[in-house]
Each structure stands twice: as C-alpha cells, then as structure tokens.
Amino acid sequence: MILSLIFISCHTDKSTSVEEDKEKKEDKISAEEMSKQLQEDGFKSFTYKEGDTTYLMQQYYMVFLKSGPNRDQDSLSLAKLQQQHMAHLERMGNEGYASLIGPFEDSSDIKGIAVYNTRTLKEADSLANLDPMVKAGRLTIEVHPWWTAKGNKLN
C-alpha cells in the first residue's frame, strides 16, 4: 500500500509538471510578437532567423562616461559627488532605464559605461545628463545607438 501511494504521488507530481510546462510554453509569445509590442511602445526592434533560432534584436544606447573639464573638486566635494553619482546610476538601474553600468579600470579618458534601455537617443542623453558628475562637469557623456539580442546576458 505504501508503494502504491508513493507511485500515485510521483505520478501525480509528474503529470502536474508536464501540464505546467505546457502552460508555460503557451504563455510565451513569439519573438515577432515581442518585436511588434516593443515597436508599439516606441522602441526600435526587429527579428531575424538563423537556423532554428529566431533572434529579437533591440536598439539600446551605449553611454560612455568620459573625463570632463572640471576635475579639480576637493576630496569632500568629490566624495559627495560620487555618492550622488552612484545614487543616480542605481536609480537608472532600478527604474529599468540602464544596465551594464560600471567603471573602467585603466587610466583612459573613458571612465565608465552605461547601457540605456530607452526609446530614443535623446531620452538616453537626457537621463545621462541628469548624473550629478555630469552636471558638475567632472564627467561628460557620449551616446551611441547599439543593437543586441533582447535578453542577452554576460557569462
């Protein structure tokens, strides 16, 4: 009797799992439908097929944070600016406007990057210019349209 209960229990769990998997597959929308929705929402996107895989491409905006003309802040002012800068970048990330945010380690003119998920270059530029470091002139920005497959991630 115990064995039959275990079997029934396992069998029931397995069928529920298959049904849930089927529902999840039905809930998924196609790349073409996602692209259409993105376009209706004002984003630039397209799909292309390679073999059995359909890629949904979306335009993002790569923002380069570069050395600005005003880099002579005292240590106290700089610490306050850095705190405000980090709060701004965190807000951009939390609100879904930016991701892949971070500094470069070398001593080049480019100090960091942020990838903005906005409808237009103008919107990315406006948001990046709200950064207190940019407002203070310690950093300047350079914005470039950038395409990548939607949902890509760093490994």
Side-chain angles (χ1 to χ4, degrees):
M1 181 167 169
I2 292 175
L3 287 176
S4 59
L5 285 174
I6 292 171
F7 175 75
I8 291 169
S9 174
C10 290
H11 180 69
T12 303
D13 288 346
K14 207 173 197 180
S15 65
T16 303
S17 176
V18 170
E19 287 173 20
E20 288 173 356
D21 287 346
K22 189 176 179 182
E23 286 176 16
K24 285 179 186 176
K25 286 179 184 175
E26 290 172 0
D27 288 343
K28 284 187 178 181
I29 64 171
S30 72
E32 290 84 3
E33 291 170 320
M34 286 178 67
S35 182
K36 182 179 177 190
Q37 184 61 53
L38 283 167
Q39 290 172 15
E40 287 172 2
D41 291 342
F43 293 91
K44 294 178 184 165
S45 68
F46 68 91
T47 60
Y48 79 92
K49 192 166 182 143
E50 189 173 303
D52 291 340
T53 304
T54 301
Y55 294 93
L56 170 58
M57 301 296 289
Q58 181 179 337
Q59 187 175 69
Y60 295 84
Y61 297 93
M62 180 76 68
V63 175
F64 292 94
L65 299 164
K66 301 172 82 175
S67 293
N70 185 10
R71 298 192 62 80
D72 58 357
Q73 292 85 5
D74 63 73
S75 61
L76 194 57
S77 297
L78 183 55
K80 185 177 178 181
L81 272 175
Q82 180 66 18
Q83 184 179 23
Q84 293 170 345
H85 169 68
M86 295 305 293
H88 169 76
L89 294 175
E90 183 177 0
R91 181 177 149 233
M92 293 295 99
N94 289 340
E95 292 181 9
Y97 290 114
S99 56
L100 294 175
I101 302 167
F104 287 114
E105 187 174 1
D106 61 13
S107 59
S108 77
D109 189 42
I110 301 174
K111 300 302 179 189
I113 61 163
V115 177
Y116 277 72
N117 181 16
T118 58
R119 290 167 180 80
T120 64
L121 186 141
K122 184 177 180 180
E123 185 179 9
D125 183 80
S126 294
L127 290 170
N129 270 301
L130 291 175
D131 187 323
M133 287 278 200
V134 175
K135 286 182 173 183
R138 186 163 179 87
L139 296 174
T140 61
I141 61 164
E142 185 177 303
V143 184
H144 298 273
W146 179 63
W147 288 93
T148 192
K150 186 92 174 141
N152 269 355
K153 62 181 181 178
L154 296 173
N155 291 328

